[in-house]
Structure formats: structure tokens, C-alpha cells
Amino acid sequence: METPDTTLNELKKHIFHAFLQSAGRAFILVRYSDRVLLGTRGFTAEEKENGIILVFNSKMNFSWDEYGITVTLVFGTSPQRCSIPADDITAVYSPEMGAQFVVTLQNRKPLEVPAEEKTKPEGEGAVGERPRESPRNVIQVDFTRKKK
């Protein structure tokens, strides 16, 4: 039986792929979590507070499985191996389509991680509890196109 979290994550995945197929790219907002791995880069102080927006296009090589997204992203000139749990994706949107899917996490319980999974395996991100979401963690997206 699927849990509400599993169903919600499948919906995020479906919308993400629909945006990629229709518009050629999709944006995701990822909240700060010890489970999110952005290579050696990590999160800045501002990103820990507000999350990070990542852009994917249809030509990128990535996989989205039951855990989430695994991809190598380039920050500046530095490629970083990234692992993004679907649970930590709080929005999926497409400026081209003028559409967004936002998940509110205010009433959800923190993820319970079994004790044996709380250690950090070599080469992987640490596993821990989700931070509580701040009601201030709201993004505003301007979908208007600039005319050239």
C-alpha cells in the first residue's frame, strides 16, 4: 500500500517529467536537509534558510527513482555529484508553462530514520531527520516573459 508521501513523490516526479517533455526544462526547489547531497558544495547559509532552486533540461543525464534524483550538476565550473531525495523537493515549476506544483510541509511529521541509517556511509550524504519547515519558506515566481 502506498503512503501519502509515496503518492506525493510520484506526483512530483510525474509533473517534473511533464514539464521537461512539454517545455524542455523544469525547475525544482529543494529544501535544506542533511539527506540532500550537493557534492562537496553543500548549501550556503541563505540556501539553508530558503532552499536552492535547481534547473533541469531534457538533455541532462539524470535518474529519478523511488528515492529521488541522482545527477551531476555544474556549479560555476565545478561538476558536483548530487543526490536529492524526493521528500526534500518542495516545488516543481515551469516558467514557460506558467505552472507550479508546491508542497506545503507545515503539518507533516519529521521523517523517522532508523538508527542504523543515521551513520554517513563513505561517499554518500548523511542521513538524519528533516528540519522543520518555516512558514517563511515561500517562493514567488514571476512567470512573465521579458520582451527582447
Side-chain angles (χ1 to χ4, degrees), residues 3-59:
T3 66
D5 284 343
T6 304
T7 303
L8 191 58
N9 288 341
E10 284 298 317
L11 186 54
K12 291 177 201 177
K13 180 179 178 179
H14 176 78
I15 292 168
F16 175 85
H17 284 288
F19 286 162
L20 274 180
Q21 186 176 33
S22 298
R25 68 180 183 163
F27 292 65
I28 62 171
L29 174 64
V30 181
R31 68 181 172 158
Y32 171 75
S33 166
D34 288 339
R35 298 178 320 130
V36 176
L37 176 65
L38 299 176
T40 58
R41 177 194 184 277
F43 283 83
T44 66
E46 182 180 337
E47 292 164 351
K48 285 182 179 180
E49 181 71 25
N50 300 316
I52 185 171
I53 296 171
L54 302 174
V55 183
F56 291 80
N57 66 54
S58 56
K59 296 177 182 171

Side-chain angles (χ1 to χ4, degrees), residues 80-91:
Q80 302 285 330
R81 190 71 179 151
C82 301
S83 179
I84 304 148
D87 288 338
D88 295 315
I89 297 171
T90 59

Side-chain angles (χ1 to χ4, degrees), residues 53-71:
I53 296 171
L54 302 174
V55 183
F56 291 80
N57 66 54
S58 56
K59 296 177 182 171
M60 292 173 73
N61 184 18
F62 67 90
S63 66
W64 189 325
D65 58 19
E66 64 278 350
Y67 174 77
I69 301 173
T70 303
V71 64

Side-chain angles (χ1 to χ4, degrees), residues 114-130:
E116 64 272 6
E117 291 184 26
K118 288 189 179 184
T119 60
K120 183 177 180 180
E122 187 66 35
E124 295 184 16
V127 178
E129 291 188 356
R130 294 183 198 172

Side-chain angles (χ1 to χ4, degrees), residues 83-148:
S83 179
I84 304 148
D87 288 338
D88 295 315
I89 297 171
T90 59
V92 179
Y93 62 98
S94 169
E96 291 81 7
M97 297 183 71
Q100 61 184 336
F101 178 75
V102 180
V103 179
T104 57
L105 302 171
Q106 295 172 351
N107 297 325
R108 297 173 70 193
K109 295 178 183 175
L111 178 66
E112 294 297 325
V113 179
E116 64 272 6
E117 291 184 26
K118 288 189 179 184
T119 60
K120 183 177 180 180
E122 187 66 35
E124 295 184 16
V127 178
E129 291 188 356
R130 294 183 198 172
R132 296 217 187 272
E133 287 293 318
S134 165
R136 298 178 300 153
N137 193 10
V138 176
I139 61 168
Q140 293 182 356
V141 179
D142 181 6
F143 289 115
T144 58
R145 290 185 180 201
K146 292 182 182 179
K147 302 227 180 199
K148 293 184 179 181

